[in-house]
Each structure stands twice: as C-alpha cells, then as structure tokens.
C-alpha cells in the first residue's frame, strides 16, 4: 500500500478511536520525560490494521528543544526484510500532565496517548487510547518476563481494555509463530 494513503487511513482511525465516551482512563501520576525518551520495543498490543504482521516493532521518542517529542516507529515486515520507519510527533496539551500526550502521524489527524503504567526504573510501560480500542505494552528490552506482562494485562483489563485481543509482537525470529504472537 502506498505510504501516504496508509498514513491517512491510520491517522483517521486513531483520531476516531480517541473519541471515547467511557470513564476516563487512570494515567500514571508523573512521567519524567527525559527518562522516558529512547527506544521502547513493542512487546504486546491490541494491533491496528497497520501493525498486523509486523515484527521487531519499536517506538523511539526524542525530546526536542521546543518541548515537542519526535516519535519514530520502527518495524519490519519480516525478520529477513529491511527495517522501515514512520515519523510522527507528539506534544503535551498540558505541560503539567506528562502522562497525557497528543500524537500526530499525519497532519491534521491527532490522537490521545495515555501512559497507563510505568515501572520506577523506566524499563516497562503501557500506553492506551481513551477509546480502549488500542493498547501497547512496551519495554526497553526486546523481551519481558511473563509475570510482568500478565500484571499489565490484568491492569488493562481493570481499566476496560479488551485484553483478549492482545497479541505479542515477535521481537526475535524465534518468537514468530509461537502461540499468542501475531
């Protein structure tokens, strides 16, 4: 699919997905943005149509001098395929609330991004949309132990996410095709 039409479809889907009428999600109290920056490997997700079948996916965040955040999505269409990237940006609608971001993959479409969980060491995070249609569990490493993953799934379930739709993202070739992986 051509990159621009795919971008339009993805951005439109995320924009409409953020129009939730459910109770507000409980975000973490505070995020130290400089500590949060870096590469986060997508361990599991409620995949949208553009994420399905992708492997070795990661979000890379870079804090810019103007306070905006560069968001680079890395992915492969197979472990034997070259890495591709998608460039977006993010910003804080309220600079005092560092757990709630706006993300824009393609102008003029915007989506909410809420940090729902973050471990004290800034090694594991969970992010979702207010609609509860999209959710990501990410880590600074390519793997996450099953206990930590399950605790985040339980937390997401308590917030009303359809966790039965979660799929792990193969980060290593040996993960591809295993039960629970997309």
């Amino acid at each position: 699919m051509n990159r621009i039409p795919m971008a339009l479809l993805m951005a439109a889907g995320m924009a409409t997905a953020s129009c939730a009428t459910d109770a507000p999600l409980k975000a973490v109290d505070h995020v130290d943005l400089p500590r949060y920056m870096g590469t986060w490997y997508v361990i599991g997700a409620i995949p949208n149509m553009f994420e399905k079948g992708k492997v070795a996916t990661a979000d890379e965040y870079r804090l810019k001098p103007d306070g905006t955040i560069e968001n680079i999505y890395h992915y492969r269409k197979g472990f034997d395929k070259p890495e591709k990237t998608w460039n977006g940006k993010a910003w804080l609608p309220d600079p005092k609330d560092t757990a709630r971001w706006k993300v824009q993959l393609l102008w003029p479409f915007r989506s909410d991004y809420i940090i729902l969980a973050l471990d004290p060491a800034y090694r594991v995070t969970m992010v979702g949309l207010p609609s509860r249609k999209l959710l990501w569990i990410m880590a600074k490493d390519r793997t996450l132990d099953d206990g930590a993953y399950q605790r985040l799934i339980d937390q997401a379930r308590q917030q009303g996410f359809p966790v039965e739709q979660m799929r792990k993202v193969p980060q290593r070739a040996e993960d591809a095709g295993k039960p629970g992986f997309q």
Side-chain angles (χ1 to χ4, degrees):
M1 180 179 261
N2 185 311
R3 185 177 171 126
I4 297 301
M6 181 172 74
L8 285 170
L9 286 171
M10 187 171 177
M14 288 183 70
T16 58
S18 67
C19 301
T21 58
D22 296 335
L25 291 171
K26 170 92 175 88
V28 297
D29 291 330
H30 177 74
V31 176
D32 179 341
L33 289 178
R35 283 187 72 193
Y36 196 83
M37 297 299 108
T39 300
W40 289 93
Y41 298 99
V42 182
I43 304 300
I46 297 176
N48 64 54
M49 62 189 265
F50 301 105
E51 293 174 303
K52 289 182 181 177
K54 305 272 189 314
V55 300
T57 62
D59 274 325
E60 181 182 353
Y61 303 112
R62 297 178 187 166
L63 190 57
K64 296 170 68 174
D66 67 0
T68 61
I69 301 162
E70 185 177 10
N71 180 194
I72 305 165
Y73 176 66
H74 300 266
Y75 68 95
R76 294 176 184 273
K77 292 185 178 180
F79 285 102
D80 59 340
K81 305 291 184 198
E83 180 179 278
K84 295 186 177 197
T85 59
W86 185 279
N87 296 304
K89 67 178 181 177
W91 63 95
L92 304 178
D94 177 356
K96 291 180 235 144
D97 188 354
T98 54
R100 295 178 189 274
W101 301 8
K102 289 283 188 187
V103 175
Q104 185 173 56
L105 298 174
L106 183 67
W107 184 86
F109 304 105
R110 299 173 179 169
S111 179
D112 293 305
Y113 175 107
I114 300 174
I115 301 170
L116 306 166
L118 179 61
D119 77 311
Y122 282 66
R123 304 294 303 165
V124 178
T125 191
M126 182 169 64
V127 177
L129 298 186
S131 67
R132 294 169 172 81
K133 291 181 181 179
L134 298 176
L135 179 73
W136 298 270
I137 293 174
M138 301 184 289
K140 290 286 185 158
D141 299 306
R142 290 188 182 271
T143 60
L144 179 63
D145 73 78
D146 290 337
Y149 184 80
Q150 190 57 52
R151 284 188 293 279
L152 289 168
I153 293 291
D154 293 343
Q155 183 179 343
R157 181 181 294 112
Q158 290 173 0
Q159 290 228 44
F161 283 90
V163 296
E164 66 281 355
Q165 296 176 21
M166 286 292 290
R167 297 294 176 265
K168 289 187 175 180
V169 176
Q171 289 291 339
R172 304 168 303 165
E174 60 265 26
D175 296 332
K178 285 185 179 177
F181 284 82
Q182 59 176 2

